[in-house]
Amino acid sequence: MQANAVVKVGNLEIGNDKPFTLIAGPCQLETRQHAFDMAGGIKEITDKLGIGLIYKTSFDKANRTSRNAKRGLGLELAMPIFEDLRKEFGVPVLTDVHEREQCAEVAGSVDVLQIPAFLCRQTDLLEAAAQTGLAVNVKKGQFLAPWDMKNVVAKIVDAGNPNVLATERGVSFGYNTLVNDMRAIPIMKEQCACPVVIDATHSVQQPGGQGNASGGDRRMVPYIARAAVSLGVGAVFIETHEDPDNAPSDGPNMVKLADLEALLTNLQKFDRLAKAA
C-alpha cells in the first residue's frame, strides 16, 4: 500500500496539484461561542474566495512551555462543540491527539486527526490514529530532516491507512529559533508521495522565546506561506484569531482574522501560477 496522492476529507480533495485547501482556526478551543464566531468568520472568507476549509483548533495544548499556561477546554467538553461546528457550518474539523487512547474517542467527532511535531515518531500513537480510518495530518518534528518523514508516513500507511498529510513547520536552528528550508517541500512531496502542508504560523514561532511562553513574529507568515505555495502544496495551515495579542496561546505567531482575506487572496495568485506550471 502507498500513501494517497489525493486525500479526501468530506467533500474536499487535498492534493499537491490541486488548489490549496486551508486548515485554519485559533490555536486552542477557548469557549463554544468563540469557536462558533471564529468558524463563521473564517468560512465567510473562504466561501467568498472559493477556498476549501478545514477548521482547526486544539481541545488540549499538552505541550505548553509553562505548567501554569492555559491548555483548552479538554476532551469531554470539546467533542460536542466539534460535532456542532460540523453540523452548523458544514466544514470538516481537525484537532490534535497526544495519547493513543484519545484517537478512538476523538475520531467520532472530527474529520482529521493531527499528530503534533514533538510526537511524530511515536509509533503507537501513529498506528492508533491510522486505525481510526480518518485522515491523519503529521507535523514534521523540529528535529527531523524532510527525508525522515517518509518513515513517519510509512508507519501510518503500513497500519492500513493511506490518507496521510505531511506538514512542514520549520526546523530548530539554535535556541528558541525555527527556520524553514524550502527544499523540504519538494523533498517531502517526492519521498512521502502524499499531500504536503505548510504550517505558516508555527514556522515563525520562537519556542520558549518569552521565558515562560513561546514567542513569534506574525509579520513573517506571508513570506513563509508565499514561498511554500509557490512550490505547490496541498494545504496551507494558518492559525488565526480575532485578537491574537490576547489569545491564551501562540498569539505572537497567529494571523489576525482581519488580515486573513488579504493574505489568502495573495496566496491564491501564487498557487494558481505554481499549479499552472
Side-chain angles (χ1 to χ4, degrees), residues 26-269:
C27 178
Q28 67 172 259
L29 182 60
E30 299 177 25
T31 66
R32 177 187 177 87
Q33 187 60 55
H34 184 257
F36 270 69
D37 291 344
M38 289 299 302
I42 299 168
K43 190 172 187 296
E44 182 178 349
I45 294 169
T46 55
D47 283 352
K48 177 180 178 181
L49 299 179
I51 297 173
L53 171 65
I54 297 174
Y55 184 72
K56 177 271 164 188
T57 193
S58 299
F59 66 86
D60 181 17
K61 300 299 294 183
N63 60 349
R64 298 303 307 277
T65 302
S66 169
R67 184 179 183 278
N68 297 321
K70 292 182 179 179
R71 292 179 50 166
L73 292 186
L75 192 151
E76 184 175 345
L77 292 177
M79 295 308 109
I81 297 174
F82 290 161
E83 292 166 13
D84 290 345
L85 286 169
R86 295 162 79 193
K87 294 175 184 176
E88 176 71 19
F89 298 104
V91 296
V93 171
L94 173 152
T95 198
D96 313 79
V97 286
H98 296 86
E99 303 171 5
R100 61 181 181 176
E101 293 80 10
Q102 293 177 341
C103 294
E105 188 169 358
V106 172
S109 303
V110 302
D111 304 272
V112 184
L113 296 180
Q114 180 167 279
I115 308 298
F118 287 129
L119 301 177
C120 70
R121 286 180 50 144
Q122 297 298 107
T123 302
D124 291 347
L125 178 60
L126 293 170
E127 291 180 346
Q131 289 162 6
T132 65
L134 296 185
V136 180
N137 181 36
V138 187
K139 291 197 172 184
K140 178 174 73 64
Q142 302 91 325
F143 44 85
L144 288 185
W147 43 85
D148 293 328
M149 281 297 285
K150 67 179 181 295
N151 299 315
V152 174
V153 170
K155 290 181 181 181
I156 297 170
V157 173
D158 290 347
N161 189 340
N163 294 311
V164 189
L165 309 174
T167 295
E168 161 63 14
R169 56 142 303 162
V171 64
S172 294
F173 185 78
Y175 299 124
N176 306 124
T177 304
L178 299 174
V179 297
N180 284 89
D181 177 356
M182 286 300 161
R183 294 177 300 174
I185 302 297
I187 290 171
M188 288 167 62
K189 286 166 64 174
E190 178 183 357
Q191 297 205 11
C192 299
C194 69
V196 171
V197 182
I198 179 64
D199 181 345
T201 45
H202 287 103
S203 288
V204 303
Q205 188 184 62
Q206 297 166 344
Q210 295 182 350
N212 63 350
S214 291
D217 187 356
R218 71 174 67 95
R219 297 175 303 164
M220 297 295 108
V221 170
Y223 301 106
I224 298 292
R226 287 203 300 260
V229 166
S230 70
L231 296 170
V233 294
V236 178
F237 181 109
I238 295 176
E239 286 192 337
T240 183
H241 195 282
E242 86 287 352
D243 185 14
D245 291 330
N246 290 299
S249 57
D250 272 353
N253 49 268
M254 279 199 284
V255 171
K256 294 179 180 178
L257 182 61
D259 297 332
L260 184 61
E261 182 176 342
L263 173 57
L264 293 176
T265 299
N266 187 253
L267 293 181
Q268 282 185 303
K269 297 176 182 178

